Amino acid sequence: MPAVLWLAATPALGAISYARFDLVPGVLVALALFALVDAPRRAAVLAVLATGVKYSPALVLPGLAAPAASRARVVLSGAVAGLGLVVVSVAVGGWDRIVSPLTYQGDRGLQIESVAATPAMLRWAVAPGDAAISFAPSLAWEIDGPWTEALLRVSTVVTVLLAAVLVALWGLAWTRIPDARAGLPAAVWLTVGALSAFVVSGKVLSPQYLLWLLPVACAGLALLDGADRRRLARWTIVLLVAALLSHVLYPHAYRAFIEAHSGWSVPAVGVLALRNLLLAGLCVTALAAAWQAIRRVPRRPRDHAETPAS
């Protein structure tokens, strides 16, 4: 099944799978999951390399470091690899190259495909005169209108709440998971949950973001068994549906957004709303599954000093 779903994933999203380098960090994170049990140092380095391509894979590092038996190796290897990437980036592009992606994202408006923009897009579909869709300096299409400022604030609040949920899950995982083999289901769900949270909470969402999730989900299917595998299979199938809807939106339905409002605008926004509803559901499901997977791991006993024999 993992191979079949992976073969279906690329055509589901369309030519954008080949045109964007977002596939690279997705595959690197998938390889990190494969290496976690037998080669935790390699897993950490792969995740750091993925972060060097896109910052979002940094969210998977706390989950990879959760198993107590390999934590020191993961943290040390990740720190060394990360420091090496920073040194190379500063030497080649200067300090601005490190911080520019963060400032670039902060200056952006509400992209039309983001989950946060969905209410504004639905309003635009039925009342197009009150809002404007324009091509921004960020090279993305953004919506500006009566609700956009409030929705941007909502996006910030949701981001903070999901970050708090992730921190709580990471903390619970660090206290309960003894080794990577016992915690593999938790690591997989933490990984897809963290990436899903990033995708749905931001004010920007492009179809290539799904390339961060598709390889990881297929890798998780190859690693898990039992109920977790069946649950992840259903999760991945829904993700494939979301990818197909994204392919419908871009490039096929995009004219209904960026050209004059027409009869196609309402069904196009309907497809967008359905896709975003599926992504939001996937995020909630992944975080809930991560919590359940962590709770199933017996709590690690506290270390007790050996008492000398009498």
Side-chain angles (χ1 to χ4, degrees):
M1 178 180 288
V4 172
L5 291 177
W6 175 241
L7 289 174
T10 302
L13 202 53
I16 200 168
S17 300
Y18 304 102
R20 301 291 298 191
F21 61 81
D22 296 78
L23 183 61
V24 175
V27 170
L28 287 172
V29 172
L31 292 174
L33 285 179
F34 278 123
L36 182 60
V37 172
D38 297 323
R41 291 188 183 91
R42 187 191 311 156
V45 171
L46 288 166
V48 168
L49 290 176
T51 304
V53 180
K54 282 278 188 177
Y55 277 8
S56 55
L59 292 170
V60 312
L61 287 165
L64 298 181
S70 57
R71 185 174 303 153
R73 286 172 284 170
V74 170
V75 172
L76 181 59
S77 299
V80 171
L83 180 60
L85 276 181
V86 169
V87 170
V88 171
S89 296
V90 171
V92 173
W95 180 252
D96 288 344
R97 186 66 189 90
I98 301 295
V99 299
S100 61
L102 301 177
T103 57
Y104 172 74
Q105 288 292 101
D107 294 338
R108 298 181 70 169
L110 193 62
Q111 187 175 356
I112 60 174
E113 290 187 68
S114 65
V115 174
T118 306
M121 291 299 295
L122 289 169
R123 190 178 192 277
W124 171 83
V126 297
D130 294 339
I133 294 176
S134 59
F135 195 62
S138 60
L139 306 182
W141 292 90
E142 298 177 355
I143 184 167
D144 186 27
W147 293 357
T148 52
E149 289 300 322
L151 291 171
L152 284 169
R153 289 192 289 271
V154 170
S155 173
T156 301
V157 172
V158 172
T159 298
V160 172
L161 290 176
L162 287 177
V165 170
L166 285 172
V167 169
L169 289 173
W170 291 332
L172 184 62
W174 277 52
T175 62
R176 296 186 74 99
I177 297 178
D179 56 71
R181 193 172 299 279
L184 191 56
V188 170
W189 284 114
L190 280 173
T191 299
V192 296
L195 294 175
S196 299
F198 185 91
V199 169
V200 305
S201 65
K203 57 186 178 180
V204 176
L205 198 167
S206 297
Q208 63 265 21
Y209 287 12
L210 300 191
L211 292 172
W212 306 345
L213 291 167
L214 289 164
V216 175
C218 293
L221 283 173
L223 292 168
L224 301 183
D225 55 20
D228 279 303
R229 191 172 194 266
R230 292 190 295 272
R231 188 172 190 177
L232 185 58
R234 294 192 295 269
W235 194 93
T236 307
I237 290 170
V238 175
L239 179 62
L240 283 174
V241 174
L244 281 169
L245 294 176
S246 298
H247 193 183
V248 171
L249 292 169
Y250 185 86
H252 303 296
Y254 233 70
R255 287 186 177 181
F257 301 139
I258 64 178
E259 294 182 352
H261 189 281
S262 67
W264 291 106
S265 298
V266 172
V269 172
V271 172
L272 174 64
L274 176 59
R275 193 279 307 269
N276 287 348
L277 181 63
L278 291 179
L279 290 178
L282 287 173
C283 175
V284 173
T285 301
L287 294 175
W291 180 79
Q292 293 167 2
I294 296 168
R295 294 282 295 177
R296 286 200 305 270
V297 179
R299 187 177 294 276
R300 291 190 295 113
R302 295 187 177 183
D303 296 330
H304 295 282
E306 293 185 0
T307 55
S310 56

